Amino acid sequence: MTSAESNNLYAASHSDDIINAKGIYKNFGENVKVLKGISCEIKRGERVVIIGPSGSGKSTFLRCLNLLEEPTYGEVWLEDKLVTPVDPYLHKDVIELSKTYCKLRNEYKPGIIGESEEEIKEKIIADIKKRDLLHEKHEGKAYKALMKKIYDENYININLARQKVGMVFQQFNLFENLTVMDNITLAPMKLLKMSKEDAVKKATDLLTRIGLADKANAYPVQLSGGQKQRIAIVRALAMDPDVLLFDEPTSALDPEMVGEVLDVMKELAESGMTMVVVTHEMGFAREVASRVLFIDEGVIMEENTPDKFFGDPQNPRLRDFLSKVL
Amino acid sequence: MSQNIWEIKWTKFWTSFIERGAYHKVIEGLEHTVIIAVAGLMIGILLGTLIAVIKVVPGKNPVMGFLKKICNLYVNFFRGTPMVVQLLLGYYVLFPLIGIKMSSLMVCVVIFGMNSAAYVSEIMRGGLLSVNFGQTEAGRALGLSYPVTMMRIVVPQAVKNILPTLGNEFITLIKETSIVSFVGAIDLCQAFRNIGASNYEFMVPYLVMAVIYIVLVLFITYLIKITERRLRASDKR
Ligand SMILES: Nc1ncnc2c1ncn2[C@@H]1O[C@H](COP(=O)(O)OP(=O)(O)OP(=O)(O)O)[C@@H](O)[C@H]1O
Ligand SMILES: [Mg+2]
C-alpha cells in the first residue's frame, strides 16, 4: 500500500532526520483522497521548498507533519520519535506476525516456476498492502505485542514534539487578544518554564532583529500584514525550534510587504535554520532552497536541487506548471 | 377624591416601610436578589464555559464523546424544565437526598448557578465557534495543550464577543430571582409582598418594587457597557 519501507528504523536509530514522513495518505471522509502516499525526509539544515498547483495537497501535507491534520495512513517521525500511531503496513516484521499473513502463506499455491521463500513473502506482503487486509482486532497476540513494542519505544506526545516544530501560517494567526509581547512570550513561559524576564528579554532581542521592538505593546489589529507575519515568525522562533514550517507565508500579503517577510526568511535560512516552505515565490525557491519538491495530485512528482528542478524539469506536469508560473 | 385614596395608600406604605422598619427587609431582599444573581452567574460562567469547551472539542475520542453526551443531557434538562421546578427539586429532593443541609439562600445560589450554566454554555459555545479556528491551530502548533489554548486564547476572545448576551443573561437572572420565595428565601419581591400583606394594600408596594427592579436593571446595563468598552481595548487602532 505504500512505497516507503522501514528497515527497522525504530530500532534505536540515530539519524539526523528532523522530519521523516513515511507513506502519508490523507483522506477527508470516504471520497476525498488528498494525499496518496508521500514520503519525505528532512535533514538538519535543509531548506525544502514545496510547490504545486492549487488544491494538490501541499498545505495538507505540511499540516500532517505537525499533526494539525492526522494522516489516514503512514507515520510521521519528528527527531526520531513517532508522533502518529504505528502503521503496520510500514513494518514487514509486523505484517509477518499477523494471522492474515499466516493464513495467506498456508494457502499459498506455488506457481509452476519455483519461487524462493523470500519471493513468496514479498508477494504476500504486497498483496496484503494492496488490499488493505490487516485488521488490528483479528491479527493475534504476537502482532499486537510487536505493534505495542514499537509504539512504546518510539512514541512521543505531540505537544512535546511540537515545541521543536514551529509553524507560520498564511493568515498569520497572531493571538488577537494578546499584545505582541504576550504573543511571543506565552509559549516559552508556559512550556519551557522560562521566567518572565528571560522571556521578555528574548522576545525583545528577536523583535529588535526584525526592527519591530517598538511594537511590543501593540495588539495584532494595529499592525500591517507584513508586520504581523514577521512577528508570527518571531513567535515561532521564541521556542527555539529545530525546524520551521511555512504555509504560503506571503500569499495573504499586499505585494509591497512580501519583500520584508522574504528577507526575514532568507536571513533565517542563512543562519542555518531547517525550513520547509510551501510557496508560490519561485524566486525564493531558486535562491534559498536546497531541495525543491513538486506535489501534484497528492504525490511528489519531482524532487531535485533548484538548479535541476527549474533548469531541467523531467515530469511533464512540472514542465507545464513551470511554464505557467515562470 | 381619587387623590385622597392614593394619599391613604401611600401613607400606609410609608408607615410600614419606615416606621415599622420594613425597609430593613427590603434591603435584605435586595441583597439576596443581587447575591443570587451574581453568584449564580459566576457559577454559570465557570460551569457553562467548561461545558462549552467540552462540547467543541474536535475529534471522536470516546471519553470526550461520553462527556459530551452528559453535557447535552444536562443542558436539555435545565433548558427543558421551568426554573421553579428545578428550585423545588433542588430544595425538597436533591439536597435532602444527598444529605446536604443548606440555607434556602444557598440552595437558590446553587440552582440558579446550575440553571445559568446551561444557558451560558450555549451562549459560550456560539462564542467559541465564532473565534477563528486559526487561533486554536496557532496555539496547538506552538505545543500548547488544548485546555491551555482554550483558556488563554480562545475563551477570552469568545467572552469579548458574547459579552452583550452574557449581560442579558445576568438581567434575566436578576428578574428570575423573584421566584425564590417558593423555597422560603426572601428576595426583593418577597419583601414587598410582605409589606403589602401587612396592611392589605398592594398597589403602592408593587409599584415601588417595579421601579426598584427597573433602576437595578438600568444600573447593570450601564455596568455592562463600561466593561464592554474596556474589553474592546484590543480592537482599537
Ligand atoms: N478539512 C478538509 N475537508 C475536506 N477537504 C479538504 C479539507 N482540507 C483540504 N481539503 C481538500 O484537499 C485538497 C487539497 O487541499 P490543500 O489545502 O492541501 O491544497 P494546497 O495544495 O495547499 O492548495 P493551495 O495552493 O490552494 O493552498 C483540496 O481539494 C481541498 O478542498
Ligand atoms: Mg495551501
Side-chain angles (χ1 to χ4, degrees):
Chain A
M1 77 148 271
T2 169
S3 58
E5 294 293 4
S6 80
N7 300 315
N8 267 9
L9 256 174
Y10 45 87
S13 64
H14 291 287
S15 57
D16 52 359
D17 285 350
I18 290 199
I19 297 176
N20 194 348
K22 302 182 185 181
I24 304 295
Y25 287 73
K26 177 67 188 180
N27 307 341
F28 291 105
E30 294 278 302
N31 300 318
V32 187
K33 302 194 166 155
V34 178
L35 301 182
K36 300 167 191 162
I38 292 191
S39 298
C40 175
E41 289 165 29
I42 289 153
K43 300 209 183 310
R44 194 172 295 279
E46 270 199 295
R47 298 167 305 279
V48 176
V49 170
I50 301 175
I51 67 170
S54 180
S56 56
K58 305 180 298 293
S59 299
T60 306
F61 175 63
L62 200 70
R63 293 157 55 79
C64 279
L65 297 181
N66 67 351
L67 249 58
L68 285 185
E69 303 287 359
E70 276 177 41
T72 314
Y73 298 103
E75 292 175 356
V76 176
W77 294 67
L78 299 174
E79 317 219 358
D80 296 328
K81 284 289 176 191
L82 181 65
V83 294
T84 53
V86 180
D87 181 348
Y89 293 107
L90 292 173
H91 303 272
K92 271 188 192 169
D93 43 357
V94 172
I95 300 179
E96 279 172 45
L97 287 176
S98 70
K99 285 197 170 155
T100 305
Y101 176 86
C102 296
K103 183 162 159 278
L104 288 178
R105 180 66 192 87
N106 288 336
E107 290 168 356
Y108 189 78
K109 298 205 177 58
I112 308 155
I113 318 151
E115 288 167 304
S116 73
E117 181 60 32
E118 203 54 34
E119 280 167 342
I120 296 171
K121 193 195 278 181
E122 291 293 330
K123 228 174 165 177
I124 296 173
I125 288 179
D127 187 39
I128 289 177
K129 285 182 181 179
K130 201 172 136 211
R131 294 199 283 152
D132 191 4
L133 292 177
L134 293 181
H135 291 285
E136 180 89 48
K137 275 184 199 143
H138 309 123
E139 302 304 348
K141 275 193 190 139
Y143 170 95
K144 269 192 195 148
L146 184 55
M147 288 283 279
K148 185 169 181 320
K149 179 165 176 273
I150 299 172
Y151 184 83
D152 290 345
E153 282 174 2
N154 298 286
Y155 183 77
I156 185 176
N157 180 282
I158 185 62
N159 288 339
L160 270 177
R162 278 176 179 152
Q163 295 183 13
K164 287 285 157 201
V165 182
M167 184 157 201
V168 176
F169 300 85
Q170 183 173 352
Q171 299 297 338
F172 330 127
N173 294 343
L174 288 182
F175 304 135
E176 303 280 340
N177 59 321
L178 301 179
T179 62
V180 166
M181 181 55 79
D182 291 342
N183 261 278
I184 303 170
T185 57
L186 174 66
M189 282 166 61
K190 198 87 202 167
L191 302 173
L192 307 180
K193 307 291 171 216
M194 219 184 249
S195 73
K196 175 146 195 179
E197 295 82 64
D198 289 351
V200 168
K201 186 173 176 308
K202 177 157 200 184
T204 311
D205 288 349
L206 286 166
L207 282 173
T208 310
R209 254 172 66 186
I210 58 165
L212 289 177
D214 57 326
K215 296 291 182 193
N217 294 316
Y219 281 94
V221 283
Q222 300 165 315
L223 304 170
S224 74
Q227 291 171 332
K228 280 189 210 177
Q229 196 59 301
R230 280 144 69 203
I231 287 163
I233 294 173
V234 161
R235 176 176 66 179
L237 285 176
M239 287 296 287
D240 279 330
D242 288 336
V243 54
L244 279 185
L245 312 177
F246 294 82
D247 190 1
E248 300 199 29
T250 57
S251 295
L253 296 176
D254 292 338
E256 73 269 21
M257 293 174 184
V258 170
E260 65 190 62
V261 171
L262 289 182
D263 285 346
V264 172
M265 291 170 64
K266 283 175 195 166
E267 211 176 287
L268 268 176
E270 276 160 27
S271 75
M273 175 60 75
T274 313
M275 298 160 75
V276 185
V277 186
V278 173
T279 186
H280 292 298
E281 296 287 334
M282 296 303 150
F284 178 84
R286 264 180 217 261
E287 194 180 330
V288 176
S290 52
R291 179 154 56 113
V292 189
L293 307 185
F294 177 62
I295 292 187
D296 194 9
E297 300 192 327
V299 295
I300 297 178
M301 293 249 178
E302 187 147 341
E303 173 170 5
N304 224 326
T305 58
D307 281 353
K308 291 185 184 144
F309 187 93
F310 292 107
D312 182 21
Q314 300 299 313
N315 187 295
R317 298 189 70 112
L318 173 57
R319 278 191 218 146
D320 186 45
F321 178 76
L322 289 178
S323 73
K324 279 180 197 147
V325 295
L326 288 182
Chain B
M1 165 73 189
S2 82
Q3 196 167 2
N4 210 6
I5 291 175
W6 282 108
E7 252 183 60
I8 294 168
K9 285 178 187 291
W10 176 258
T11 319
K12 271 188 181 174
F13 170 72
W14 196 246
T15 318
S16 39
F17 192 68
I18 301 294
E19 284 161 28
R20 282 195 252 132
Y23 70 92
H24 284 303
K25 285 283 170 202
V26 168
I27 290 174
E28 195 189 323
L30 183 64
E31 268 174 26
H32 288 176
T33 289
V34 173
I35 287 173
I36 294 170
V38 171
L41 187 70
M42 292 298 157
I43 297 174
I45 289 176
L46 290 180
L47 193 58
T49 304
L50 183 69
I51 293 173
V53 167
I54 290 174
K55 277 191 165 190
V56 300
V57 174
K60 296 189 197 82
N61 182 320
V63 179
M64 288 319 287
F66 180 68
L67 284 178
K68 281 181 197 185
K69 282 228 172 75
I70 292 186
C71 289
N72 280 335
L73 237 110
Y74 180 96
V75 172
N76 285 339
F77 173 78
F78 278 97
R79 298 213 308 177
T81 51
M83 187 116 157
V84 188
V85 173
Q86 295 159 20
L87 209 53
L88 292 173
L89 277 178
Y91 190 73
Y92 292 105
V93 182
L94 179 66
F95 291 114
L97 269 186
I98 53 178
I100 300 179
K101 276 222 162 67
M102 276 201 279
S103 68
S104 49
L105 180 68
M106 272 309 288
V107 172
C108 291
V109 166
V110 172
I111 296 293
F112 269 70
M114 290 173 77
N115 174 283
S116 176
Y119 288 90
V120 171
S121 77
E122 285 299 291
I123 300 169
M124 185 65 80
R125 198 169 68 95
L128 294 176
L129 292 177
S130 76
V131 176
N132 190 332
F133 193 61
Q135 298 283 306
T136 309
E137 292 198 326
R140 298 308 308 279
L142 281 167
L144 298 170
S145 67
Y146 182 77
V148 170
T149 307
M150 285 317 246
M151 287 310 146
R152 296 297 297 271
I153 294 152
V154 182
V155 170
Q157 293 181 45
V159 168
K160 201 175 71 184
N161 294 343
I162 61 172
L163 206 71
T165 330
L166 274 186
N168 280 342
E169 171 65 14
F170 186 44
I171 290 169
T172 307
L173 279 181
I174 287 272
K175 293 186 292 187
E176 289 251 32
T177 51
S178 55
I179 60 168
V180 300
S181 60
F182 272 86
V183 295
I186 297 199
D187 70 321
L188 197 57
C189 183
Q190 185 58 31
F192 278 102
R193 275 164 79 179
N194 290 346
I195 295 178
S198 67
N199 359 317
Y200 307 106
E201 202 299 292
F202 290 93
M203 282 189 176
V204 176
Y206 283 181
L207 279 173
V208 175
M209 174 175 79
V211 171
I212 294 185
Y213 270 117
I214 289 174
V215 171
L216 193 59
V217 167
L218 286 178
F219 178 63
I220 293 164
T221 313
Y222 170 73
L223 287 185
I224 294 166
K225 279 246 167 65
I226 292 181
T227 326
E228 225 175 298
R229 213 172 295 155
R230 286 245 175 93
L231 278 181
R232 293 213 178 273
S234 66
D235 282 353
K236 290 231 178 69
R237 281 173 182 271

